């Protein structure tokens, strides 16, 4: 057997091992007490801070308050994904992650698109279209 | 040497068909359902984002919302998430009694969450701030109500599973169902993060 053939056999064996590998046993990460507690403590902190900020009246700038609150929410969603939902790039050969990425893309388009279009509809509407100003409003 | 350049069938595809055991694709299927549910919530969030400022000269978030109540509800849901996690850990250790106990605690937190939310809703309706009052309140009730409905069905599912585990034990089918409900329950907690941030906290700033 030539060395090239031997290499080919080795690669083939590796590929088949990958294809037949983990997915046949349970393959899911159930986490541990430690990982759940880590996720829980991080979530408590990431919930308590924005609530405390808003209850105390927020910062001087409303924009800054909003950015901090939304930032904490995004971090907390990631914490939940990792520690509670056990998201990773390996489960179901990466298809869970692909479905998630696809959903996030659609989600961003729906949210930003709706807000953008409806904001422009609101501000660029011609004055005579305003029924309340004409006394036609209910 | 000529054989080395030819490719054997097993190089690029699997020659032997391999069989998946029953339920092997359940978790990915259920995940795709959750993602479609997520898109439904995205639409409700978008509606709230567009209509959230249309008070129709009625009450706004600052007149209506009680952040302490929302914080209490958030705590209930977060606690139920971790107790469900402990139920899953007990399941992995084949501990049927432990699984049932943690599921029971999860159910209690889920029901407490629903009780507080129903109290909040009936309080708002009592104040005359029902879903028909303004576009803001319609969007609010649609979004928060849909989430509450999900929690209610999650509780129903939890009771069903507890009965099944009591009758049949931790058989593979029940383990699979527990894993699905685990995803569902944690997913609802993720949605709630969006709700308390965008509806309650940003409304109160």
């Amino acid at each position: 057997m030539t060395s090239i053939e031997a290499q080919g056999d080795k690669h083939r064996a590796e590929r088949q091992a990958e294809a037949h590998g983990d997915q046949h046993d349970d393959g899911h990460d159930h986490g541990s007490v430690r990982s759940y507690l880590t996720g829980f403590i991080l979530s408590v902190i990431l919930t308590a801070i924005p609530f405390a900020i808003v209850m105390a009246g927020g910062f001087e700038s409303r924009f800054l308050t909003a950015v901090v609150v939304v930032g904490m929410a995004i971090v907390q969603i990631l914490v939940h994904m990792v520690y509670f939902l056990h998201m990773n790039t390996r489960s179901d050969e990466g298809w869970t992650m692909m479905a998630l990425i696809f959903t996030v893309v659609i989600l961003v388009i729906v949210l930003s698109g709706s807000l953008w279009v409806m904001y422009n509809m609101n501000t660029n509407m011609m004055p005579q279209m305003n029924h309340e100003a004409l006394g036609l409003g209910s | 040497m000529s054989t080395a350049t030819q490719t054997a069938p097993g190089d690029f595809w699997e020659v032997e068909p391999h069989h998946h055991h029953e339920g092997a694709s359940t978790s990915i299927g259920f995940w795709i359902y959750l993602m479609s549910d997520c898109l439904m919530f995205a639409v409700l969030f978008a509606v709230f984002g567009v209509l959230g400022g249309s008070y129709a000269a009625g009450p706004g978030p600052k007149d209506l919302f009680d952040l302490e109540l929302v914080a209490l509800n958030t705590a209930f849901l977060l606690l139920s998430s971790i107790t469900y996690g402990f139920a899953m850990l007990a399941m992995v250790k084949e501990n049927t009694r432990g699984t049932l106990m943690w599921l029971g605690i999860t159910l209690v937190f889920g029901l407490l969450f629903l009780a507080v939310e129903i109290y909040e809703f009936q309080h708002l309706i009592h104040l005359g701030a029902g879903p028909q009052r303004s576009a803001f309140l319609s969007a609010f009730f649609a979004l928060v109500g849909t989430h509450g409905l999900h929690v209610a069905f999650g509780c129903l599912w939890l009771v069903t599973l507890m009965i099944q585990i009591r009758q049949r034990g931790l058989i593979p089918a029940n383990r699979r169902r527990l894993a699905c409900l685990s995803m569902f329950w944690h997913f609802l907690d993720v949605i709630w993060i969006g709700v308390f941030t965008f509806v309650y906290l940003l409304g109160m700033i």
Side-chain angles (χ1 to χ4, degrees):
Chain A
M1 192 189 273
T2 64
S3 66
I4 302 172
E5 273 180 314
Q7 239 176 354
D9 278 349
K10 202 179 131 210
H11 284 191
R12 195 179 311 154
E14 275 172 9
R15 254 198 304 277
Q16 298 220 330
E18 270 171 38
H20 286 286
D22 285 336
Q23 88 239 26
H24 277 277
D25 54 309
D26 197 359
H28 291 288
D29 179 14
H30 292 291
S32 60
V33 177
R34 202 185 149 88
S35 75
Y36 275 112
L37 281 178
T38 315
F40 179 73
I41 291 164
L42 284 175
S43 299
V44 169
I45 295 168
L46 289 166
T47 306
I49 294 173
F51 266 96
I53 291 172
V54 174
M55 279 168 157
F59 300 121
E60 290 274 299
S61 138
R62 288 184 63 200
F63 180 72
L64 179 68
T65 318
V67 168
V68 171
V69 168
V70 173
M72 297 265 183
I74 292 170
V75 176
Q76 200 186 341
I77 287 175
L78 292 177
V79 166
H80 275 246
M81 288 278 175
V82 172
Y83 289 101
F84 292 158
L85 282 165
H86 311 300
M87 280 299 293
N88 57 49
T89 50
R90 298 179 311 278
S91 56
D92 285 303
E93 298 169 12
W95 286 110
T96 3
M97 188 55 88
M98 286 304 285
L100 177 68
I101 292 168
F102 174 72
T103 310
V104 170
V105 169
I106 301 288
L107 199 139
V108 168
I109 294 172
V110 167
L111 284 177
S112 60
S114 305
L115 291 175
W116 181 30
V117 170
M118 294 311 285
Y119 174 79
N120 280 294
M121 293 277 280
N122 238 357
T123 46
N124 297 339
M125 208 67 118
M126 286 195 296
Q128 57 264 45
M129 299 289 280
N130 189 338
H131 283 229
E132 272 177 45
L134 286 173
L136 296 174
S138 53
Chain B
M1 271 310 282
S2 63
T3 49
T5 50
Q6 279 174 355
T7 51
D11 261 356
F12 296 113
W13 64 87
E14 292 176 19
V15 191
E16 301 281 315
H18 65 283
H19 297 282
H20 289 275
H21 58 77
E22 190 201 344
S25 54
T26 304
S27 75
I28 178 71
F30 195 75
W31 181 255
I32 289 170
Y33 153 69
L34 283 184
M35 291 298 101
S36 67
D37 217 20
C38 187
L39 290 182
M40 192 188 73
F41 275 108
V43 173
L44 289 171
F45 272 110
V47 169
F48 186 83
V50 170
L51 299 176
S54 313
Y55 304 135
K62 286 182 184 172
D63 310 313
L64 296 174
F65 297 156
D66 179 3
L67 273 190
E68 284 169 21
L69 213 58
V70 181
L72 185 70
N73 243 355
T74 308
F76 285 150
L77 215 53
L78 195 55
L79 282 167
S80 80
S81 248
I82 192 174
T83 54
Y84 200 104
F86 289 150
M88 288 300 283
L89 292 176
M91 181 200 85
V92 172
K93 286 181 191 154
E94 308 276 344
N95 179 353
T96 311
R97 280 179 66 96
T99 309
L100 281 172
M101 184 192 77
W102 285 115
L103 287 181
I105 296 171
T106 308
L107 180 66
V108 170
F109 282 126
L111 291 176
L112 282 172
F113 173 86
L114 281 177
V116 172
E117 193 160 285
I118 289 167
Y119 165 76
E120 188 195 14
F121 279 6
Q122 75 88 25
H123 179 66
L124 289 182
I125 291 166
H126 183 71
L127 286 176
Q132 71 276 41
R133 180 64 189 86
S134 63
F136 152 67
L137 282 164
S138 303
F140 167 80
F141 275 95
L143 174 58
V144 183
T146 306
H147 178 269
L149 210 57
H150 274 75
V151 176
F153 277 101
C155 288
L156 189 66
W157 188 359
L158 200 55
V159 174
T160 318
L161 264 184
M162 283 172 76
I163 294 169
Q164 285 193 323
I165 292 170
R166 193 174 286 268
Q167 285 180 344
R168 311 255 169 95
L170 291 171
I171 55 172
N174 278 344
R175 289 164 169 270
R176 204 161 61 229
R177 290 163 190 153
L178 271 175
C180 283
L181 182 55
S182 163
M183 284 196 272
F184 186 75
W185 201 263
H186 294 310
F187 167 76
L188 288 184
D189 207 0
V190 171
I191 298 292
W192 182 252
I193 298 171
V195 172
F196 79 69
T197 302
F198 289 101
V199 176
Y200 292 102
L201 291 181
L202 290 191
M204 297 294 273
I205 290 175

